Amino acid sequence: MFMRLRPLMIALASLMMGLTLSASLPAHADSRLDEARMLVRTMADAVKQAVEADYESDEARIAAVDGLINDYFDFNGITRFSAGRYWKKASDDERAAYTRLFRKVLTGLAARQFDQLKGLNYTVTDAVSKGKKLALVTGVMQDPTGSQADAIVSWRVSTPTDGAPLIIDVEIENISMLITQQQENTAIIRKNGGKFSALIEILEKTAKDL
Amino acid sequence: MIIGGLFCNTIRSFLLSPLFYEGILLAMINHSSMHIGAKNRPSFTHSLRFAKAACFGLMAVVMSGCSSLPVDERSDARDPFEDTNRSVFAFNMAADTYVLEPVADGYRTIAPNAVQKAVSNHVDWVGLPSTAVNSTLQGKFKNATLAVLHFAINGLTLGLVDLTADDEQPKTEDFGQTLAAANVPEGAYIEVPLLGGHTTRSLTGRAVDFVLNPLSVLNAGEVGQTVQSAQLPVAAVSVRATDFEAINEVKYNSLDPYARARSVYYQKRKGLLEDRLPGEISEGENDDAFNSFFEE
């Protein structure tokens, strides 16, 4: 009796497993999207607080930016992505120098622009899954005074199954800032015969001028 | 938001840069026209012809003097005339520094917000006939209808007040997009003096769109000609003023402003070709780039 029913039971078990999996996949995707949404909302609140705060010195302002990057951004991923295919060709020393200088330039420029973000509000409006490991959270940046037009800003968030979600890119009006940075960096390297050191030299100069 | 703010530079910047330079060009044309007696003053049609001839003549001179770089010497495979383009870009930046930037700075300081908004609305309104024609040519009849309706309704105020702000907005369609829809190849990247970055296809489209200005189409007489003559320089100043800090950040703080402007141009253009509204999510090259990065 059992032997005769075995194929049927296997089929039923497979069906049940399939149903369970198909039910859990959207649930997993939903939780990933929820995490990504929450990260962006929290980050937006933290940035608003940081922007409104008073700083005694430029160094304190830069430290605040640095803290935000640590908490909400996948800086290692951003750094590697921004160097494009030349990251793999760079030596360990070059990678270390690039990472240090890129961070210095990024935080320095962002700190300088803090005042431009004062008074702006960011509201999340949508989130979609982008492949197995990424999500795109979209929202609108608004100036309550109405003196600046609304800007649609999307955040690409890495959502690993074994770690916390982190932001890797921002898109404004369909333009990816990280891809723009990568193309800019790659252009510098290519114009200098493929030398990664050329990019480091330019970053060094920019960091000094900040 | 930090990085968003930081790179807002890039975004807002060179997206409309051709408009700035077109404005400068028109301003120069009008300036030269003012030195001619009223009776002998060339009509705007002549000015248009002159502008177009000047653009293409200038381009022909520039491009004939530049040689195509081997692929491995280019910083971007789509940019065979990079060395020449970089020289032209430097010239355009100087024009911005000495003409547009100071004028825009004064405008945003002096003009009230309401005036700036009205001018910005008018700039958008002027582009609607081109959108209507090109949507029709591409078979996008709903978009064409929307453009005609918005143009007609807002025409009551010459586009100064956006009476249709709460309604569905038409997507911008230009003749470059029409050429793309007809599978015309994109061509090389070209930095045009005073007109900014283009592909050869989009530059051709721009020349056609230039004559689709409502006042040009309606042949609106002496007053219309004067208004049309003022439109582009005013638009150039308006756009530059709106995104003043963002453009300056790209101009003064990029590692390689030319490469950044080129990258932004291509991404912006791609969004237009895919008919994406700002912030509209779609599958694309960016997704592929990030997905392959995370799969490594």
Side-chain angles (χ1 to χ4, degrees), chain B residues 7 10 20 79 89 92 96 108 172 188 196 268 289:
Chain B
F7 289 113
T10 314
F20 311 152
D79 191 355
F89 182 78
N92 286 343
D96 181 78
R108 74 193 191 116
T172 302
K268 171 73 177 173

Side-chain angles (χ1 to χ4, degrees), chain A residues 87-100:
Chain A
W87 178 259
K88 285 182 180 169
K89 295 179 181 175
S91 67
D92 289 345
D93 287 347
E94 286 175 330
R95 286 181 185 181
Y98 175 72
T99 303
R100 177 177 57 80

Side-chain angles (χ1 to χ4, degrees), chain B residues 38-73:
Chain B
K39 281 185 182 174
N40 298 323
R41 190 175 176 178
S43 69
F44 192 76
T45 312
H46 286 110
S47 293
L48 279 176
R49 283 184 192 147
F50 172 76
K52 282 186 284 180
C55 286
F56 288 111
L58 213 51
M59 267 195 59
V61 169
V62 169
M63 300 326 288
S64 64
C66 54
S67 55
S68 173
L69 285 171
V71 175
D72 59 352
E73 289 179 24

Side-chain angles (χ1 to χ4, degrees), chain B residues 215-227:
Chain B
L215 292 172
S216 171
V217 172
L218 296 173
N219 195 16
E222 192 73 26
V223 176
Q225 286 177 14
T226 306
V227 172

